[in-house]
Amino acid sequence: MKEININESTILITGVAGFIGGALALRLIAATCAQIIGIDNLNDYYDVRLKEYRLNRIREQDDDHRFTFIKVDIADKDVVFDVFDAYKPDIVVHLAAQAGVRYSIDNPSVYIQSNIIGFFNMVEACRKSIEMNSPVKHFLFASSSSVYGNNEKIPYSENDSTDQPVSFYAATKKADEVIGYSYAKLYGIPMTGMRFFTVYGPAGRPDMAYYKFTEKLVKGEKIELYNYGKNRRDFTYIDDVVDIIEKLVGEECGTDSEKIYRIFNIGNNNPIETIEFIGLLERALKQKKVLIDDFNISDYVKFSEAQMGDVETTYADIDRVFAYCGIKPRVKIVDGLMCFAEWYEKYSSNA
């Protein structure tokens, strides 16, 4: 596979104040000499202070002043084009999106703006870069395990059907994959889609279950386990995710029609039930003094029916990404939750 010299590249990361985007920028600042252009609209879907925290961590590590942040809404085509014209990125890692399965059911128009129009603006800017003789060498974008819907075949393989999404969020991610495929084939834009499976860890998204559970338990509030705690999730630690993205960033897909567009599952290949998960979370929160030792989590659990838009199981077949990258997940759920709990205790103490 043809490699790109990252150290001589300008890398544009969208959603850089987000969980994965912030972690990736930190890694690239530490491990490469690349110029990093980060854009984000800093919306208030969740506490903006956490987004500012992530940005400040990047700035603190940026001793060589290789990181530039620009507040940009990717739904604004003219502004997106201006960024491409000004910085001429060699590599684009498109992670900006409106996340959340349940939120998409109540607020679908937000997902059209960010996940459809925003994605279209990004691939259009890539197409325009070809016309301007400064072509993007590799466009990577975030998709989601939710595109598999309630696929009965597990683990989920990239070759499985994704034609029956059960949430509007999943439908927008499926749309991105199809739009991306057409642009890769029509205009020769090397493109990689990444289907993330329940990414967790320090400085994560507060709307994710492990973070929401922690916040509620600290306040002495009940937590709700949908589908009576039987949902299974393939929790994937943030460092394992960034390991793979870092490897993929430096590789071109190639220009022949068979290799110019690729899709990878990025997961842990080890799903666990929610009821088991909260037991591990309780242990981590107690060990890191977020909860007191005699806290009994069973007193704070409410079991509920399955929610509209939820899938029962996410389970990644990761053979394809291992064949390309030679990387498998390293962090066990027990250790990952310990790292989250340690971070949460420090972050909440300083909030």
Side-chain angles (χ1 to χ4, degrees):
M1 183 176 293
K2 186 177 180 182
E3 292 188 356
I4 302 170
N5 187 340
I6 295 180
N7 292 318
E8 295 180 0
S9 297
T10 297
I11 302 175
L12 172 64
I13 302 174
T14 73
V16 74
F19 180 29
I20 300 175
L24 177 63
L26 268 176
R27 173 70 63 82
L28 294 177
I29 287 292
T32 76
C33 297
Q35 297 294 316
I36 310 297
I37 312 300
I39 64 176
D40 201 294
N41 68 354
L42 298 177
N43 68 28
D44 61 357
Y45 171 63
Y46 59 79
D47 194 343
V48 176
R49 289 177 297 178
L50 180 54
K51 300 180 181 184
E52 294 285 2
Y53 165 84
R54 297 185 189 119
L55 288 174
N56 287 334
R57 290 176 67 205
I58 300 167
R59 294 181 180 117
E60 289 169 1
Q61 296 297 317
D62 184 27
D63 296 332
D64 299 330
H65 305 289
R66 291 183 286 111
F67 175 68
T68 301
F69 173 71
I70 311 164
K71 187 176 180 180
V72 169
D73 186 340
I74 59 170
D76 187 331
K77 181 179 72 173
D78 291 338
V79 176
V80 169
F81 281 18
D82 287 345
V83 169
F84 273 71
D85 289 342
Y87 295 98
K88 296 178 175 54
D90 302 293
I91 301 165
V92 177
V93 187
H94 177 48
L95 302 171
Q98 180 59 56
V101 168
R102 296 185 189 97
Y103 191 71
S104 73
I105 294 170
D106 297 326
N107 302 276
S109 62
V110 178
Y111 291 74
I112 293 293
Q113 286 294 312
S114 181
N115 298 7
I116 304 296
I117 295 174
F119 185 87
F120 171 72
N121 289 340
M122 293 301 299
V123 293
E124 265 289 278
C126 290
R127 182 189 64 79
K128 185 182 177 186
S129 75
I130 298 172
E131 297 176 357
M132 302 301 291
N133 293 317
S134 55
V136 169
K137 298 176 182 176
H138 195 179
F139 180 82
L140 302 92
F141 68 93
S143 186
S144 167
S145 62
S146 64
V147 299
Y148 290 108
N150 277 313
N151 196 334
E152 293 182 0
K153 173 186 164 293
I154 54 175
Y156 300 156
S157 165
E158 294 90 343
N159 295 323
D160 292 342
S161 171
T162 55
D163 293 335
Q164 295 178 318
V166 296
S167 70
F168 189 68
Y169 167 68
T172 64
K173 287 300 186 179
K174 170 66 175 181
D176 288 349
E177 292 186 0
V178 176
I179 293 168
Y181 180 86
S182 68
Y183 265 69
K185 296 291 184 175
L186 286 170
Y187 305 111
I189 303 168
M191 198 170 295
T192 299
M194 301 173 289
R195 292 174 179 165
F196 296 124
F197 283 69
T198 317
V199 184
Y200 77 101
R205 279 174 30 211
D207 64 320
M208 296 292 284
Y210 70 98
Y211 204 129
K212 285 196 299 184
F213 289 168
T214 299
E215 297 268 75
K216 285 182 175 292
L217 293 171
V218 166
K219 296 174 184 176
E221 300 175 359
K222 284 189 177 294
I223 60 176
E224 198 166 4
L225 300 190
Y226 298 118
N227 195 25
Y228 304 99
K230 296 178 182 178
N231 285 340
R232 300 168 71 214
R233 293 291 177 265
D234 198 1
F235 291 95
T236 314
Y237 191 66
I238 183 63
D239 287 2
D240 289 332
V241 171
V242 172
D243 285 347
I244 292 173
I245 301 175
E246 182 186 8
K247 180 71 172 179
L248 291 174
V249 159
E251 296 179 341
E252 282 190 283
C253 302
T255 55
D256 64 84
S257 61
E258 296 300 319
K259 296 180 180 179
I260 201 163
Y261 181 88
R262 304 172 302 183
I263 289 284
F264 292 112
N265 288 337
I266 299 182
N268 192 45
N269 190 235
N270 186 28
I272 64 171
E273 286 192 349
T274 312
I275 189 67
E276 179 185 356
F277 173 79
I278 63 164
L280 298 176
L281 178 62
E282 177 188 25
R283 188 167 80 181
L285 294 176
K286 286 181 177 179
Q287 184 165 327
K288 297 303 178 180
K289 307 303 180 184
V290 176
L291 297 176
I292 59 175
D293 289 340
D294 60 355
F295 186 92
N296 186 357
I297 199 169
S298 61
D299 295 336
Y300 296 88
V301 172
K302 175 185 176 182
F303 293 99
S304 302
E305 295 180 353
Q307 291 289 290
M308 182 169 60
D310 266 359
V311 298
E312 185 170 337
T313 298
T314 64
Y315 185 177
D317 180 331
I318 57 175
D319 288 348
R320 179 184 291 184
V321 76
F322 177 70
Y324 272 87
C325 298
I327 297 173
K328 285 189 175 181
R330 297 176 291 108
V331 181
K332 296 180 179 179
I333 185 71
V334 174
D335 299 323
L337 287 175
M338 288 292 179
C339 291
F340 165 73
E342 182 175 7
W343 170 84
Y344 181 85
E345 193 281 326
K346 294 176 182 177
Y347 180 75
S348 59
S349 297
N350 295 322

